[in-house]
Amino acid sequence: MLTVVLQQGINGIVVGSLYVLVALGLTLIYGVLVQINFAHADIVTVGAFVAYFVTHWLSGNYFAGIAAALAVGAVFGWLMNAAIFAPLRDRGNELLPLIATIGVSIMLQNAMLVLLGPIPYAFNTPYSNEVIRLGGTFLTVQNALIIIVSTITIVLLYAFMKFTFLGKALRAVSQDRETAGLMGINPNYVIMLTFVIASALAGMGGAMLGPVLVLTPFAGTSVIVKAFAIVIIGGFGNVEGTIIAGLIVGLIESYTTQFLDPGWIDIVVFALLLLTLAVRPTGLVAERREENV
Amino acid sequence: MSIVTSRRFWLVVAAIVIGLLPAIFTDSYWRTNLIVCAINVLLAIGLDFVLGYAGQLNLGQSAFYGIGAYASTLLITQVGVPFWVAFVAGVLLAGVAGVFLSVFAVRLRGHYLAIASLGFAVITYQVLLNWISLTQGPLGIYGIAPPPPFAIPGLPPIEFSNLASLFYLTAGFAFLVYLLLDQLVRSPVGETLTAIREDEVSAASLGVNGQKWKVFAFAVSSAVAGAGGCFYASFVGTLVPDAFFITESFSILAMVIVGGMGTLIGPVLGAILLTVLPELLRGIGDLRLIVYGVSVTLVVLFMPGGLVQAARLVAARVRRPAKVGRDP
Amino acid sequence: MTGAGEILLRAEGLRKSFGGVQAVRDISLDITGGTVFAVIGPNGAGKSTLLNLMSGIYQPDAGKLTFSGVDMIGMPSHRRVRHGLARTFQKIRLFKQLSVLENVLAGFHLHHQIPPWQYILHGAAFRRDRERCRDDAANLLAFVGLKPRAHVPAGSLSYGEQRMLEVARALATAPRLLMIDEPAAGLNAAEVEALLGRIVALRARGMTVVMVEHNMDLVMRIADRILVMDYGQHLFEGTPADVQAHPGVIAAYLGAEVR
Ligand SMILES: Nc1ncnc2c1ncn2[C@@H]1O[C@H](COP(=O)(O)OP(=O)(O)OP(=O)(O)O)[C@@H](O)[C@H]1O
Ligand SMILES: [Mg+2]
């Protein structure tokens, strides 16, 4: 029994750390722009497929696959900003960009459906079948890799935000765009950069989720829905909260699968989401901010 | 006001067109599409009331649609209540679900509400899928009867087992709901909802209780979707959870956006266009949803007022010398 | 109007801070009905925050606030409007997509006389109400000089016109106390004169006006009493003559502008 709990704990952390990668991107974008990119998770799917094909073409070089997914994600991020968010920024309607990205999401999913078909792809990396045993529990090398890579990425991102000039600029813009502009930071550049970083993370997250997920063109939908839950539970724009909430959701997912039924995952996660909204509308960790009138 | 710009004139034209449609389209394929159109019109104007007027993005329409469909069907098949009682119950239940959701979310900015409602749609779908003892899960419920015959004294009873009268029923109901919402948005309620959409703080400074009105708009919008669900069930005769997946919410959203949110006629046009167009372009098959996605994105970027805005631009160009009127 | 000569609004020990910033610290004031009460002070002194506390946009951290004897603490801003408090915003918050007329019509929200069923079946009472609202709106627009602009979108008005539309919209709620936050900001000299005339006219009708303003000339000519704030604190309160004579105030704030 204890080993089952431990084993599911490990699985939960594996999935959770990937959700963190995806949700961090959403949170970063929300932080600087107060906008939601609904197509974010479709970049995850695109990343997964890019990694799949690159890994297969290069006869099993999974790291090349991850790198390619990261690059493609970055390009998508740049495109999303240039084509959707930048033109709509000054329309004064906060819902229009969200609606436009819902359109992009439908478009991407169904374009992939036409190109790749609905049958799930079996994405096996060279590391999927190597197993590390720890006591009664085990961990595939693939999953160990996921934990290591996402931890390193999250730490690097955190350090970037805290210690580099660009990271500070990013935080300055998220706090007050006008003042940041006065400080000589070009907000447009920072926003573009945020999209590129966020989407690169999503692409990379996809490359690592690919082997874990049921890889179809619609894989993104199940991910985005959880990523939204994570950013709300963690408090939109709050990096620490997102990390904690991501791990919680990962754990909920694996324990629900073990002890209830996989069909209940979304129900439990969203019950938690609604509960959070009812109790603490700005998220579990975020402080309350009053609109400046 | 000339006759072509009068609202009454166009309402009468619309009623006549509804009356003639089944006579023009006599094959069951197109009559089926007509009914689908009527249901989509209902769903779209319901969403527009909360999105276009109150400015709240409700991505839970698929859930309220599903709640209306399953609640009325289960009441009929499991409890044995008459169709119209089940209909009213389904509508009310969907409305109550809308209130439940909005009570969670009205304190939040628009984005949070959008996501909370999406989450609600996901939960509802999963419940329909997993509560097998009640809903039969993915197997679905089969053999749902059409509405019972409707007897008007002195006339032969109207049978709803035929597609033409089923179309009259759904289209007539959609027309009624349109009239009702149209009257509402032309009253001070319309002013209040638009004020909330434009600036909630400002609206509060005029005495508007934003939370209360958002709950109201949500209730109306989800009750209308629930009515759509009841008709859907009795028309298709089969219920499976996949009909109420979240992509259904996005399809309804696409109809509202493409038609023009913030007007009632826009979503009607959008619903008709996006239902009929893919049928006309059947060769492209899987491309239906791509068309939806592309059109939503392009409309938001280049013509945020949708078909209605486009029509106004054209009309203004055609009769430039004349005074440019407002609504029809 | 009731309350002329009596204390209409009373604040005691109001406090509000945002994170580390104490925007309003321990402000007490009495505002007499039928007077013009001005609040002045340097940028960031907490004037707008004080107005936001009075109108209910924020709730104070501490202190009491009563309006014509009714406790306002904890009451949301939309409820306060029912008691007769109205306001404009320093950062203009019109319904930009709506027409000038529609902006004012939205202000009648609390004053419709329509039986519920007539919201769906528009009848005689409905039409009477619509006509009355249109007439009242036309009068208000005439009062602020915007009648010819009734049908243009509010967003297309000039800055000064937008400020006047905010005033008309607030007046549509039929307030007893009108709070205006920097009404003269961005107005040209002629518009300021017109504004002055309008405030005087309102006072003559018994309206109480609370005005945050940087234009000293306007304040000195029109205010019955002036509250000077600095760093969220009460620096001085008195008549325009008192304020101009007070050395501390001149040093802290007026110096440059009076000379
Ligand atoms: N919602 C808020 N969140 C955080 N800080 C705020 C908020 N509202 C006001 N402040 C801060 O409180 C202080 C007082 O602000 P306030 O707007 O009341 O000043 P003011 O006297 O109206 O200034 P001005 O003349 O520039 O309008 C300022 O330091 C401001 O930054
Ligand atoms: Mg101010």
Side-chain angles (χ1 to χ4, degrees), chain B residues 180 183-184 186-189 191-192 194-195 197-199 201-210 213 326, chain C residues 57 77-78 81 87 89 93 95-98 102 105-107 109-110 112 114 119-120 122 126 130 169 173:
Chain B
L180 194 132
Q183 292 290 91
L184 262 185
R186 280 163 196 281
S187 79
V189 171
E191 283 161 13
T192 303
T194 11
R197 177 190 76 198
E198 294 287 308
D199 186 342
V201 173
S202 221
S205 83
L206 305 175
V208 174
N209 182 347
W213 284 100
R326 279 178 57 92
Chain C
I57 303 263
S77 61
H78 67 88
V81 182
R87 67 165 298 165
F89 296 90
R93 301 191 77 132
F95 308 127
K96 290 201 178 64
Q97 317 262 354
L98 307 187
E102 285 166 328
L105 287 174
H109 175 72
L110 294 175
H112 294 293
I114 305 175
Y119 280 91
I120 290 165
H122 303 171
F126 180 90
R130 297 271 79 184
R169 187 179 69 173
T173 67

Side-chain angles (χ1 to χ4, degrees), chain B:
Chain B
M1 215 192 302
S2 80
I3 183 144
V4 277
T5 56
S6 105
R7 192 166 78 94
R8 290 237 170 100
F9 170 78
W10 286 109
L11 288 176
V12 171
V13 169
I16 294 173
V17 169
I18 291 174
L20 289 180
L21 277 174
I24 302 169
F25 299 97
T26 47
D27 58 321
S28 65
Y29 168 72
W30 274 108
R31 282 185 172 178
T32 305
N33 275 324
L34 285 179
I35 298 175
V36 175
C37 256
I39 292 175
N40 283 339
V41 164
L42 203 54
L43 295 170
I45 56 180
L47 174 60
D48 188 47
F49 187 70
V50 73
L51 171 62
Y53 287 90
Q56 310 299 312
L57 182 49
N58 174 3
L59 293 176
Q61 284 300 78
S62 60
F64 304 119
Y65 184 37
I67 289 173
Y70 270 90
S72 61
T73 302
L74 290 173
L75 280 173
I76 296 168
T77 58
Q78 307 287 313
V79 188
V81 305
F83 176 84
W84 289 107
V85 175
F87 177 84
V88 172
V91 170
L92 286 181
L93 209 70
V96 169
V99 170
F100 167 79
L101 172 63
S102 60
V103 165
F104 273 100
V106 285
R107 290 179 292 162
L108 312 170
R109 295 178 60 113
H111 291 133
Y112 282 69
L113 187 60
I115 291 176
S117 60
L118 183 73
F120 183 78
V122 171
I123 292 188
T124 307
Y125 171 73
Q126 293 289 355
V127 169
L128 293 180
L129 202 60
N130 288 291
W131 194 349
I132 294 177
S133 60
L134 187 72
T135 66
Q136 327 265 335
L139 288 178
I141 303 173
Y142 286 87
I144 303 162
F150 192 70
I152 300 170
L155 290 171
I158 304 168
E159 293 281 349
F160 290 114
S161 47
N162 95 48
L163 287 173
S165 47
L166 205 52
F167 169 74
Y168 285 132
L169 181 70
T170 43
F173 187 82
F175 190 68
L176 253 172
V177 171
Y178 179 92
L179 283 181
L180 194 132
L181 294 182
D182 194 41
Q183 292 290 91
L184 262 185
V185 300
R186 280 163 196 281
S187 79
V189 171
E191 283 161 13
T192 303
L193 295 180
T194 11
I196 292 171
R197 177 190 76 198
E198 294 287 308
D199 186 342
E200 208 181 327
V201 173
S202 221
S205 83
L206 305 175
V208 174
N209 182 347
Q211 299 191 7
K212 187 183 96 180
W213 284 100
K214 282 196 262 178
V215 171
F216 168 76
F218 247 84
V220 171
S221 153
S222 41
V224 171
C230 301
F231 285 127
Y232 174 84
S234 62
F235 146 64
V236 180
T238 313
L239 278 186
V240 286
D242 277 357
F244 310 105
F245 190 56
I246 51 175
T247 41
E248 187 60 27
S249 285
F250 299 152
S251 299
I252 303 166
L253 178 68
M255 292 166 192
V256 173
I257 298 298
V258 168
M261 58 175 168
T263 66
L264 279 175
I265 192 67
V268 173
L269 300 177
I272 295 172
L273 184 75
L274 288 189
T275 312
V276 172
L277 194 64
E279 295 301 330
L280 294 175
L281 307 173
R282 272 174 82 77
I284 61 176
D286 280 346
L287 297 184
R288 182 182 84 108
L289 284 168
I290 299 186
V291 171
Y292 280 28
V294 172
S295 51
V296 166
T297 313
L298 292 183
V299 166
V300 169
L301 284 174
F302 300 112
M303 186 71 54
L307 289 174
V308 169
Q309 187 189 2
R312 282 193 186 140
L313 288 179
V314 171
R317 183 153 301 178
V318 168
R319 49 186 157 114
R320 172 153 301 163
K323 204 171 138 243
V324 179
R326 279 178 57 92
D327 287 342

Side-chain angles (χ1 to χ4, degrees), chain A residues 24-48:
Chain A
L24 272 179
L26 279 176
T27 277
L28 284 180
I29 293 171
Y30 194 86
V32 295
L33 214 55
V34 197
Q35 276 300 343
I36 293 173
N37 178 9
F38 203 90
H40 192 71
D42 299 299
I43 301 176
V44 174
T45 318
V46 170

Side-chain angles (χ1 to χ4, degrees), chain A residues 89-112:
Chain A
R89 195 165 304 147
D90 297 315
R91 283 286 179 78
N93 182 332
E94 60 167 16
L95 290 179
L96 282 183
L98 174 56
I99 295 173
T101 56
I102 290 178
V104 172
S105 168
I106 302 174
M107 195 163 77
L108 278 178
Q109 285 183 3
N110 290 284
M112 283 190 278

